[in-house]
Amino acid sequence: MITGKNYIGNELSAKGNITFNTFDPKLNIPTEWNFHEATDGEIDTAAEKAQSAFKVYKNTSGEQRADFLIAIAEEIEGLGDVLIESYMKESGLPEGRAKGERGRTMGQLRAFANLLEEGSWIDATIDTAQPERQPLPKTDIRKMQVPIGPIAVFGSSNFPLAFSTAGGDTASALAAGCPVIVKSHPMHAGTGELVASAMIRAVERTGMPDGVFSNLNSSGIEVGQKLVMHPNVKGVGFTGSIRGGTALYQLANERKEPIPVFAEMGSINPVVALPGALMAKGEDWAKSYAGSITLGAGQFCTNPGLLLGVKGKELEEFGSILGKEIEKIEPGCMLHPNIHKGYEKGKEELSSQSKTEVVASFDTEVPPNYGKQRILKVDGSDFMANPKLHQEVFGPFSVLVQCENTDELEKVIDQLEGQLTGTVLGNEEELENYGPVVEALKNRVGRLIFNGVPTGVEVCPSMQHGGPFPASTDSRFTSVGTSAIQRWVRPVSYQNWPQNHLPDALKDNNPLGIMRLVDGKYTTSKI
Amino acid sequence: MITGKNYIGNELSAKGNITFNTFDPKLNIPTEWNFHEATDGEIDTAAEKAQSAFKVYKNTSGEQRADFLIAIAEEIEGLGDVLIESYMKESGLPEGRAKGERGRTMGQLRAFANLLEEGSWIDATIDTAQPERQPLPKTDIRKMQVPIGPIAVFGSSNFPLAFSTAGGDTASALAAGCPVIVKSHPMHAGTGELVASAMIRAVERTGMPDGVFSNLNSSGIEVGQKLVMHPNVKGVGFTGSIRGGTALYQLANERKEPIPVFAEMGSINPVVALPGALMAKGEDWAKSYAGSITLGAGQFCTNPGLLLGVKGKELEEFGSILGKEIEKIEPGCMLHPNIHKGYEKGKEELSSQSKTEVVASFDTEVPPNYGKQRILKVDGSDFMANPKLHQEVFGPFSVLVQCENTDELEKVIDQLEGQLTGTVLGNEEELENYGPVVEALKNRVGRLIFNGVPTGVEVCPSMQHGGPFPASTDSRFTSVGTSAIQRWVRPVSYQNWPQNHLPDALKDNNPLGIMRLVDGKYTTSKI
């Protein structure tokens, strides 16, 4: 049941008088669910509970935390259709997507549970003593990762489940041993509360400390700001706009004790379409890209917003087929009137730039809040001269840039801001012949894709979801995949520490059986 | 020969008119060496050369970079006594320390060469394709670390060799595949230039690209600021004061594209002296700590500036023996009149705080620039009430805090800012009985030491040198030990990338023979 209250640790709480409703974008009316904004007092209590919970939670075993994550997945599944219905109502997204995203959310929780059970992620590194070393003896030193403290997680608008309440940021922080305070996304606060209720049941079921998880409602920015500035909060996970993420990043750096902010922000995900690929499979790629650009009404951070190529018959044909294909696709409902308004505004703003030309545009009337796709075309030199064209338009929109030659193509890529992904459509020979273009692309992105589409982000150890600024605030970390746990830990060395008092991960007999770096060699053996 | 010029890549350059001399603190007169400050044009050229060099250098093999690092070590050794003499003259430090630090500097370079030859640091992670997976096939994804770009390194005052020109920051960045521009420390610009000349010889000898290393002179802050703001610079390494490091950190965050700043700043390195240890070995510990506090005239970032204990006979005796022992020690020459002046000012400022008492003070006359040791004593409640007493005084100075009981001891530790190290003097039983105290300490530090002194930092894989802010700007990384390389890299994923075009680290047949995480299992095997 959706109560509209906050979870301050395990307690439902509604001390504030400011309330807001979520919105059904398909019916274009507010939902019946009314939410109480968290008050300053509630934020403080959540932060204090998180601090107390941390003292216990950081010392739970990997196995205990794995059980907790699995219990969360089970409780989410246990919510049944109620969750799917609130998801659809608050997001306008279809049932298939809702169920797929629920599966991914549970899959992520289970992937982190597996990671904890395997245990090597803790990076145990041991250098044993050398008492006979000259000129000075060497003492025993052992290092492992420890959790940094309570984390504030900001739910994202476009992933009500997989990147919100119990999404990737929360799952990775809880896996690391950090309590989490979620600032629920106001567009799907009901879905958020349902998931939070499942999480609280999992907290109680597995005996985790009260305060290890809280869920705060807010329709404005103040609750989030207060959370980021709270001295008990030691890190922030965010998925959203460049403006929002950068503001939180700057705020966190102004604290007396700055804290890391992992903001996954904008990306236009450049796609380099080389002539060989277009010659061989231009029509297929045009169809794939029409699908990728409009997938989920274009509301993915990996949406291909920039198609790059060298002028010629192949690129022209590709553009023309892409245009025809994309006009055939039925537009989808966007997440919220504000998202839709932002999309239409951005689309028109870019379309009105001089030297741009519309390749394709869906212009038939659609219901309110549906995002109508459009493709623009511009020359490489005009694109480089106008940074407005480099901006992300969040929705089913893409710009096709026609470069004069390979040099110009390389220059265009060099000038791009940091991106999550970069794709090359080509044949193997072209990878060789366009070496500097591919190198330039690699320099601007976190993930390179060969002959594919950037949408569809695998949750696996090898995934890098994050790229040079402003794709994310810290390109050294990923927000998708099991490596995301590394954002919430820091190493601690134990020097000359007695065996019995070392954490299990660092004991001579390796009771966890994990991979460790011992005296420079990787091994799962005892010492 | 010391020319007083900058190295802009491989070229000696002195385009500016502003010059400064280094200083001989023992003779208390300027040296004969006169240095040209780098001009804006020289900074730009160094940054442009670094950018061009990066395009080549990032694609060198681990073996090539290992050869380069070894060549640097050899060329530094080849400088012979000239280097030792300039080091001693510009720092006032004795010959033994100069030679020891040279050995450590070469050792660090060789340790990174070994790391590159071994190769697993690159974190190769492979998830192979599952074309049959339902509901969607899984594509092949492979991830590894790549260098982030040119790095600005700020030489430290207290390690003219091991944390300056070719020190830990430079060695780790070059190992990662990043060009380096050093802002030479003005107190030992001559020693810096000698090392730079050795590095340039190594660049030429091993065929590395011009611009992979530059060395800029500057006595003020402008050259460093300009460097940090230069768009070609992608990361910063700094060792020095909280004020200096925080200023660079804030500056870097104000860039259009913020970049990481790894500043290793202040620390007072709390030592918790438990009664059992003092009862058993109080006199030995007092002697060890008299030595640790005055080692190198107290000019180490791991200098124990804070001794914590619970009131009682044991702590009183320990303080009294420590006082006697420390007064016996002959003061040493400090690095520079400014450092000495800062020390005397800080020492007097803390000594003049109410409720403090002098335990021991060396007050006999000494030559100019010699740092005279002092120990203060204060009660736990008074210490907590006065944050001034928590400040680092860079030199042979320490505050002994007497707590009423264990609870107060824990509170004092909880209130401390982040620290590089925390030490426990105790017996094993005490580790158990004082669990919350040890946990509190762990929460504030990067390295825990049992029954030892914090000075003396091993260069090894398990070393964590860095702690919660303000000990360092990013507690998730170390500036000492081979893990320091992780500061200068970011992961890139290759999705569906053809075998022949993958980096060697990610190829099926594992030509580098490195440890990789393949489909969730650690292995050095081929796929």
Side-chain angles (χ1 to χ4, degrees):
Chain A
M1 202 192 77
I2 295 170
T3 68
K5 296 181 182 177
N6 306 281
Y7 275 102
I8 308 302
N10 297 354
E11 306 296 320
L12 275 171
S13 177
K15 300 213 167 137
N17 301 318
I18 307 172
T19 65
F20 64 95
N21 281 53
T22 50
F23 196 89
D24 182 332
K26 277 208 158 156
L27 299 183
N28 203 27
I29 52 167
T31 70
E32 66 271 32
W33 300 315
N34 181 258
F35 299 88
H36 290 260
E37 292 241 13
T39 64
D40 285 2
E42 286 171 324
I43 299 168
D44 281 339
T45 309
E48 280 155 25
K49 278 191 166 188
Q51 176 83 347
S52 306
F54 181 52
K55 293 200 174 183
V56 178
Y57 190 60
K58 68 178 172 183
N59 289 321
T60 52
S61 68
E63 212 181 318
Q64 286 173 300
R65 295 207 291 276
D67 288 346
F68 176 37
L69 295 180
I70 290 167
I72 294 173
E74 289 168 354
E75 293 290 346
I76 289 174
E77 193 158 33
L79 290 167
D81 289 345
V82 177
L83 180 67
I84 299 301
E85 285 153 18
S86 80
Y87 176 106
M88 290 168 62
K89 188 187 270 200
E90 290 185 325
S91 72
L93 294 167
E95 188 177 350
R97 163 71 190 273
K99 289 190 167 165
E101 199 181 320
R102 180 178 60 181
R104 175 171 164 178
T105 307
M106 298 188 303
Q108 286 175 162
L109 288 158
R110 293 197 168 107
F112 283 108
N114 288 342
L115 186 78
L116 294 175
E117 278 163 356
E118 196 280 324
S120 305
W121 71 276
I122 217 155
D123 267 347
T125 308
I126 297 173
D127 294 294
T128 56
Q130 299 171 22
E132 317 295 334
R133 190 183 66 174
Q134 292 298 331
L136 287 171
K138 195 201 151 300
T139 54
D140 184 285
I141 308 180
R142 301 175 184 226
K143 182 172 73 171
M144 63 178 274
Q145 300 287 356
V146 303
I148 56 175
I151 304 301
V153 169
F154 287 72
S156 76
S157 67
N158 61 340
F159 277 96
L161 292 173
F163 270 83
S164 289
T165 324
D169 287 340
T170 298
S172 56
L174 290 177
C178 297
V180 168
I181 304 173
V182 165
K183 207 288 281 171
S184 186
H185 199 285
M187 290 185 191
H188 45 75
T191 306
E193 193 197 322
L194 286 174
V195 173
S197 73
M199 293 185 69
I200 296 299
R201 275 193 293 281
V203 168
E204 291 173 339
R205 218 179 91 188
T206 57
M208 291 295 146
D210 182 12
V212 74
F213 177 75
S214 289
N215 185 53
L216 307 179
N217 296 316
S218 160
S219 63
I221 60 171
E222 294 77 12
V223 168
Q225 286 176 335
K226 184 136 204 284
L227 204 50
V228 169
M229 292 306 279
H230 200 289
N232 290 5
V233 170
K234 300 299 182 192
V236 178
F238 171 93
T239 304
S241 69
I242 293 184
R243 211 183 53 176
T246 307
L248 289 181
Y249 177 74
Q250 298 296 359
L251 197 66
N253 282 323
E254 284 161 19
R255 286 169 51 121
K256 185 165 173 278
E257 179 196 5
I259 55 171
V261 172
F262 300 97
E264 193 264 86
M265 305 185 290
S267 182
I268 52 175
N269 303 295
V271 177
V272 179
L274 297 175
L278 297 184
M279 206 170 338
K281 290 186 58 183
E283 196 172 334
D284 291 349
W285 285 127
K287 283 182 185 165
S288 298
Y289 271 84
S292 179
I293 292 166
T294 54
L295 191 70
Q299 301 166 120
F300 286 113
C301 42
T302 52
N303 192 60
L306 189 65
L307 308 168
L308 304 167
V310 176
K311 268 184 190 169
K313 196 167 53 68
E314 294 86 4
L315 190 65
E316 208 158 302
E317 253 182 56
F318 170 73
S320 134
I321 305 172
L322 174 67
K324 274 181 207 139
E325 289 295 328
I326 210 161
E327 284 183 352
K328 286 186 203 161
I329 293 172
E330 277 303 315
C333 183
M334 297 191 83
L335 295 160
H336 191 274
N338 291 347
I339 301 263
H340 179 254
K341 218 179 297 167
Y343 171 61
E344 287 296 335
K345 194 176 153 222
K347 185 173 86 173
E348 293 309 330
E349 197 178 351
L350 264 69
S351 305
S352 70
Q353 301 298 308
S354 67
K355 314 282 182 63
T356 62
E357 192 185 312
V358 174
V359 175
S361 184
F362 189 101
D363 289 325
T364 316
E365 200 161 333
V366 290
N369 304 322
Y370 278 57
K372 297 193 280 189
Q373 53 269 28
R374 184 176 295 171
I375 310 271
L376 296 188
K377 187 159 86 173
V378 66
D379 281 352
S381 54
D382 297 322
F383 179 80
M384 284 194 278
N386 187 353
K388 264 223 160 67
L389 294 170
H390 303 211
Q391 281 172 13
E392 182 182 11
V393 174
F394 190 69
F397 176 86
S398 199
V399 178
L400 175 64
V401 178
Q402 311 173 108
C403 299
E404 280 305 318
N405 49 42
T406 315
D407 273 1
E408 192 176 271
L409 179 58
E410 189 186 339
K411 271 193 202 120
V412 165
I413 297 171
D414 267 337
Q415 271 200 10
L416 291 177
E417 293 190 310
Q419 307 291 339
L420 291 170
T421 71
T423 302
V424 178
L425 306 180
N427 54 44
E428 286 206 36
E429 238 168 67
E430 286 176 314
L431 272 190
E432 192 73 45
N433 300 342
Y434 290 82
V437 169
V438 177
E439 270 298 321
L441 193 64
K442 179 174 139 197
N443 209 35
R444 305 314 301 140
V445 310
R447 176 165 55 113
L448 283 167
I449 299 145
F450 184 66
N451 286 346
V453 294
T455 43
V457 184
E458 275 295 332
V459 181
C460 60
S462 60
M463 175 50 65
Q464 173 60 14
H465 191 68
F469 191 91
S472 59
T473 45
D474 195 335
S475 65
R476 293 160 307 165
F477 295 88
T478 180
S479 64
V480 176
T482 42
S483 296
I485 197 172
Q486 300 296 343
R487 297 175 297 170
W488 319 117
V489 291
R490 65 181 179 92
V492 166
S493 292
Y494 293 81
Q495 182 169 323
N496 192 36
W497 210 257
Q499 273 296 312
N500 289 337
H501 298 270
L502 282 168
D504 282 351
L506 299 178
K507 285 184 172 140
D508 275 355
N509 62 349
N510 194 12
L512 304 178
I514 58 178
M515 181 63 76
R516 312 192 290 186
L517 186 63
V518 179
D519 293 330
K521 301 245 178 292
Y522 291 92
T523 175
T524 55
S525 302
K526 298 176 186 189
I527 293 170
Chain B
M1 202 192 75
I2 295 169
T3 68
K5 296 182 182 175
N6 306 282
Y7 275 102
I8 308 301
N10 298 353
E11 306 297 319
L12 276 171
S13 177
K15 298 212 169 140
N17 301 318
I18 306 172
T19 66
F20 64 95
N21 282 54
T22 50
F23 197 89
D24 183 331
K26 275 207 159 160
L27 298 182
N28 202 28
I29 53 167
T31 70
E32 66 270 33
W33 300 315
N34 182 257
F35 299 89
H36 290 260
E37 292 240 11
T39 63
D40 285 2
E42 285 171 325
I43 299 168
D44 281 340
T45 309
E48 281 154 25
K49 279 191 166 190
Q51 177 82 345
S52 306
F54 181 52
K55 293 200 173 181
V56 177
Y57 189 60
K58 68 178 172 183
N59 289 322
T60 51
S61 68
E63 211 181 319
Q64 287 173 300
R65 295 208 290 276
D67 287 347
F68 176 37
L69 295 180
I70 290 167
I72 295 173
E74 289 169 353
E75 293 290 344
I76 289 173
E77 193 160 32
L79 291 167
D81 289 345
V82 177
L83 180 66
I84 300 301
E85 284 152 20
S86 80
Y87 176 107
M88 290 168 63
K89 189 188 269 201
E90 289 184 324
S91 72
L93 293 166
E95 188 177 349
R97 163 70 190 272
K99 289 189 167 165
E101 200 182 320
R102 181 179 60 183
R104 176 172 164 176
T105 307
M106 297 187 303
Q108 286 176 162
L109 288 158
R110 293 196 167 107
F112 282 108
N114 288 342
L115 186 79
L116 294 175
E117 279 163 357
E118 197 280 326
S120 305
W121 70 276
I122 216 155
D123 268 348
T125 308
I126 297 173
D127 293 295
T128 56
Q130 299 171 24
E132 315 297 332
R133 192 183 64 175
Q134 292 298 331
L136 287 171
K138 196 203 149 299
T139 54
D140 184 285
I141 308 180
R142 301 175 184 226
K143 182 172 73 170
M144 64 178 274
Q145 301 286 355
V146 303
I148 57 175
I151 305 302
V153 169
F154 288 72
S156 75
S157 67
N158 61 341
F159 276 97
L161 293 173
F163 269 83
S164 289
T165 324
D169 287 340
T170 298
S172 56
L174 290 177
C178 298
V180 169
I181 305 173
V182 166
K183 207 288 282 172
S184 186
H185 199 286
M187 289 185 193
H188 45 74
T191 305
E193 191 196 322
L194 286 174
V195 173
S197 72
M199 293 185 68
I200 296 300
R201 275 193 293 280
V203 169
E204 291 172 339
R205 219 179 91 187
T206 57
M208 292 295 147
D210 183 12
V212 74
F213 177 76
S214 289
N215 185 54
L216 307 179
N217 296 316
S218 159
S219 63
I221 60 171
E222 295 77 12
V223 168
Q225 286 176 334
K226 185 138 205 283
L227 204 50
V228 169
M229 293 306 280
H230 199 290
N232 290 5
V233 170
K234 300 300 182 192
V236 178
F238 171 93
T239 306
S241 69
I242 293 184
R243 213 184 53 178
T246 307
L248 289 180
Y249 176 75
Q250 298 296 2
L251 197 67
N253 282 324
E254 285 161 19
R255 286 169 51 121
K256 185 165 173 279
E257 179 196 4
I259 55 172
V261 172
F262 300 97
E264 192 264 86
M265 304 186 290
S267 183
I268 52 174
N269 303 296
V271 178
V272 179
L274 296 175
L278 297 183
M279 208 173 336
K281 290 186 59 184
E283 194 172 335
D284 291 350
W285 285 127
K287 283 182 186 167
S288 298
Y289 271 85
S292 179
I293 292 165
T294 54
L295 191 71
Q299 301 166 119
F300 286 113
C301 42
T302 52
N303 192 59
L306 189 66
L307 309 168
L308 305 166
V310 175
K311 268 185 192 169
K313 196 167 55 73
E314 294 86 3
L315 190 65
E316 206 159 303
E317 254 183 54
F318 170 73
S320 134
I321 304 171
L322 174 66
K324 275 181 207 140
E325 289 295 328
I326 211 163
E327 284 183 352
K328 286 186 204 163
I329 292 171
E330 277 304 314
C333 183
M334 297 191 82
L335 295 159
H336 192 273
N338 291 348
I339 300 263
H340 178 253
K341 219 178 294 167
Y343 171 61
E344 288 296 333
K345 192 175 155 225
K347 183 172 87 172
E348 294 308 330
E349 197 178 351
L350 264 69
S351 306
S352 71
Q353 302 297 307
S354 67
K355 313 282 181 67
T356 63
E357 192 186 311
V358 174
V359 174
S361 183
F362 190 101
D363 290 327
T364 316
E365 200 162 330
V366 290
N369 303 321
Y370 277 57
K372 297 192 280 186
Q373 53 270 27
R374 183 176 295 171
I375 310 273
L376 295 188
K377 188 159 85 175
V378 67
D379 281 353
S381 54
D382 297 322
F383 179 80
M384 285 194 278
N386 187 354
K388 263 223 159 70
L389 295 170
H390 303 210
Q391 281 173 14
E392 181 182 12
V393 174
F394 190 68
F397 176 86
S398 199
V399 178
L400 175 65
V401 178
Q402 311 172 110
C403 298
E404 280 305 319
N405 49 43
T406 314
D407 274 2
E408 192 176 273
L409 179 60
E410 190 186 339
K411 271 193 203 122
V412 165
I413 296 170
D414 268 337
Q415 272 202 11
L416 291 177
E417 293 188 310
Q419 307 290 339
L420 292 171
T421 71
T423 303
V424 178
L425 306 180
N427 55 45
E428 287 206 35
E429 239 169 66
E430 287 177 315
L431 272 189
E432 193 73 45
N433 300 340
Y434 290 81
V437 168
V438 177
E439 269 298 321
L441 193 64
K442 181 176 137 196
N443 209 34
R444 305 314 299 141
V445 309
R447 175 165 56 112
L448 282 167
I449 300 145
F450 183 66
N451 286 345
V453 294
T455 44
V457 184
E458 275 295 332
V459 181
C460 59
S462 60
M463 176 50 63
Q464 172 61 12
H465 191 67
F469 190 91
S472 59
T473 44
D474 195 335
S475 65
R476 291 161 307 165
F477 295 89
T478 180
S479 64
V480 176
T482 42
S483 296
I485 197 171
Q486 301 295 344
R487 296 175 297 170
W488 318 119
V489 291
R490 65 181 180 93
V492 167
S493 291
Y494 293 82
Q495 182 170 322
N496 191 35
W497 211 258
Q499 273 296 313
N500 290 337
H501 297 271
L502 282 169
D504 281 351
L506 299 179
K507 285 186 170 137
D508 275 355
N509 62 350
N510 194 11
L512 304 178
I514 58 178
M515 180 64 76
R516 310 192 292 186
L517 185 64
V518 179
D519 293 330
K521 300 245 179 291
Y522 292 92
T523 174
T524 55
S525 302
K526 299 176 185 188
I527 293 171

